Amino acid sequence: MPRINIGLSEEQRQGVINLLNQDLADSYLLLVKTKKYHWDVVGPQFRSLHQLWEEHYEQLTENIDAIAERVRALGGYPVGTLEGFLKIATLKEHAGKVPSATGMVARLVEDHEQIIRNLREHIDHSSEEFHDEGTADFLTGLMEEHEEMAWMLRSFIEGEAIEPDGKQPAAETQTPVGV
């Protein structure tokens, strides 16, 4: 195979590949959690959460493929085993008891937000340390998708309680900026 000559050294490409593989591992763990919650959710919001999580796991599946292809385009090999994912992922599994619908949403928000923080850091490293603006741009797009998914999930738990206990939470009013 001819040597890759795309304006990045082997060290730069390997540094970016390592970042991408961590993003791949986190994305795969998030995909598994999202699918599991899609299957297990119950309660008054079953249908809307079930549908939302289907949209999310379909997007995550596309992102996983894109991350793996980016790794290959840089001359690397994507991590592709559960063992490998668990070794380098920053997300944690929550094996065991199935949480309530609210708990599911909250855990997914936390995971998306962790991925967003990681992506911000990886964007900076890709650009500043490894001088790979293409990967920085690619990761920026992924970050924006996670920001939107996190916003949708947060919106689900910011209103009325998903698990009504007979008491309504104190109503908070939000004033739009500039009003």
Side-chain angles (χ1 to χ4, degrees):
M1 175 182 216
R3 184 172 141 353
I4 296 175
N5 185 10
I6 59 172
L8 297 173
S9 69
E10 173 67 29
E11 182 181 271
Q12 289 170 314
R13 285 187 297 107
Q14 191 57 55
V16 171
I17 289 166
N18 292 342
L19 297 175
L20 288 166
N21 269 320
Q22 184 185 60
D23 298 328
L24 179 64
D26 282 335
S27 295
Y28 213 88
L29 247 57
L30 184 56
L31 170 70
V32 170
K33 284 184 183 181
T34 303
K35 276 197 167 257
K36 176 71 171 147
Y37 294 163
H38 167 81
W39 297 330
D40 292 345
V41 68
V42 295
Q45 286 76 19
F46 164 80
R47 184 158 179 78
S48 51
L49 284 173
H50 187 77
Q51 289 174 333
L52 178 65
W53 289 335
E54 183 174 353
E55 293 169 16
H56 285 189
Y57 73 66
E58 287 173 353
Q59 185 62 52
L60 289 167
T61 299
E62 289 178 26
N63 291 351
I64 286 166
D65 195 50
I67 295 167
E69 288 176 358
R70 182 79 188 159
V71 168
R72 291 296 294 137
L74 293 169
Y77 288 91
V79 174
T81 65
L82 296 177
E83 179 183 14
F85 293 144
L86 290 171
K87 281 182 182 177
I88 63 174
T90 63
L91 301 184
K92 302 296 177 218
E93 284 190 303
H94 293 109
K97 189 174 143 185
V98 177
S100 66
T102 303
M104 291 175 181
V105 173
R107 283 184 179 175
L108 292 176
V109 168
E110 290 170 9
D111 287 346
H112 279 284
E113 289 178 345
Q114 177 64 51
I115 288 174
I116 292 164
R117 290 189 302 274
N118 292 348
L119 287 168
R120 286 187 192 286
E121 184 179 312
H122 293 178
I123 290 164
D124 289 344
H125 284 304
S126 293
S127 180
E128 296 167 13
E129 184 178 347
F130 302 121
H131 307 290
D132 183 353
E133 299 303 325
T135 297
D137 183 58
F138 171 76
L139 294 175
T140 299
L142 290 178
M143 182 186 68
E144 290 169 346
E145 290 179 19
H146 282 282
E147 288 173 337
E148 183 173 334
M149 286 186 268
W151 161 63
M152 288 181 173
L153 292 166
R154 273 192 309 273
S155 295
F156 224 96
I157 54 179
E158 285 178 352
E160 291 185 35
I162 292 177
E163 305 171 288
D165 59 3
K167 297 179 186 175
Q168 288 292 346
E172 292 183 31
T173 57
Q174 301 284 333
T175 305
V177 176
V179 176

